[in-house]
Structure formats: C-alpha cells, structure tokens
Amino acid sequence: MSYYFSKTLDAPFDDAVVKVKAALAHEGFGVISEIDIRETLKAKIGVEFRPYLILGACNPALAHEALLLEDKVGLMLPCNVIVQKADDGMIEVAAIDPAASMQSIDNQALKAQATIVGEKLKAALERL
C-alpha cells in the first residue's frame, strides 16, 4: 500500500499552488499551515533546494469526527499535501493517504473515517 496519492502538473509553481488550494477547498479542506521547505533550508542551513511547499490541509468536520473516535489522532493531523518542482520542470502534487497512516491505530471506525478523508484528497487531486 502506498502512503500517498500524486499527480503531475505542467504549470508554473505558484499557479499550481493556487490550483491545489482551490481543489482542496472544493472538497471541504482549508489550509491551516504552510511550510516553504526551500526558504526554510536556505535560512536555517544555507542549502539551496527546489521549490517545495508543505500544505497542512484540514477538513474541520472530518477532523472533529476523527478526534471523537480517537483522541490522540491529532498527532497525525493535519493531512499534508506537498507541491514540489520535479527535476523535469513539472510540478508534482502529492497528498498523504490517511488510510495508510492510520494502520498503526487499532480502531476500525477511525480507519473507515480515514478512507473517507482519503477519497476527498484523491478527488481534490483529480480536479487539478
């Protein structure tokens, strides 16, 4: 089982980020955090890196349901989505597969919930 879903886009990086955020919003996700890996690595350790952004996506209703099913699941929230420039100049968008990440938790209701979240993340990527 893969731990992520992905799609490749032929678009400028910044345009891809805007499209990803819109696709996530259409599926009920808000972006509650952004980590610019390129900027962070340059500032912290002086390393040049390709454009690489981590978006912390959260669907509040589904997150609430998951927290009611398993109070420690917050350790695995939000759902991370990355946007990165590949070596060939294309943009790769990848999202965590929540069902894969929840395998270590022995809670069948939570696993079912993770599948629903995963389907919404897949749908967002399909919109791109």
Side-chain angles (χ1 to χ4, degrees):
M1 169 184 271
S2 179
Y3 65 95
Y4 66 93
F5 315 114
S6 68
K7 184 163 187 174
T8 303
L9 306 175
D10 186 8
F13 185 81
D14 291 338
D15 291 351
V17 172
V18 170
K19 289 178 183 179
V20 169
K21 288 179 180 180
L24 288 168
H26 191 271
E27 294 299 325
F29 292 90
V31 174
I32 60 174
S33 64
E34 288 188 31
I35 302 169
D36 185 331
I37 294 297
R38 180 183 199 179
E39 182 180 293
T40 300
L41 292 177
K42 179 68 173 172
K44 300 294 184 183
I45 60 174
V47 172
E48 294 293 334
F49 200 73
R50 67 187 175 278
Y52 191 114
L53 186 66
I54 301 172
L55 304 173
C58 180
N59 181 308
L62 296 175
H64 178 245
E65 290 175 24
L67 288 163
L68 292 175
L69 293 170
E70 186 74 38
D71 70 337
K72 307 298 184 296
V73 78
L75 294 166
M76 298 179 166
L77 300 177
C79 295
N80 283 333
V81 177
I82 63 167
V83 182
Q84 67 173 321
K85 188 170 187 177
D87 291 338
D88 63 3
M90 299 290 281
I91 304 300
E92 180 188 20
V93 180
I96 187 74
D97 177 355
S101 65
M102 298 297 163
Q103 290 301 310
S104 62
I105 301 173
D106 187 24
N107 183 323
Q108 293 307 313
L110 182 65
K111 289 177 183 177
Q113 185 73 10
T115 300
I116 293 168
V117 175
E119 292 303 318
K120 289 190 164 292
L121 289 169
K122 276 195 252 184
L125 267 69
E126 289 170 9
R127 294 186 156 286
L128 300 174

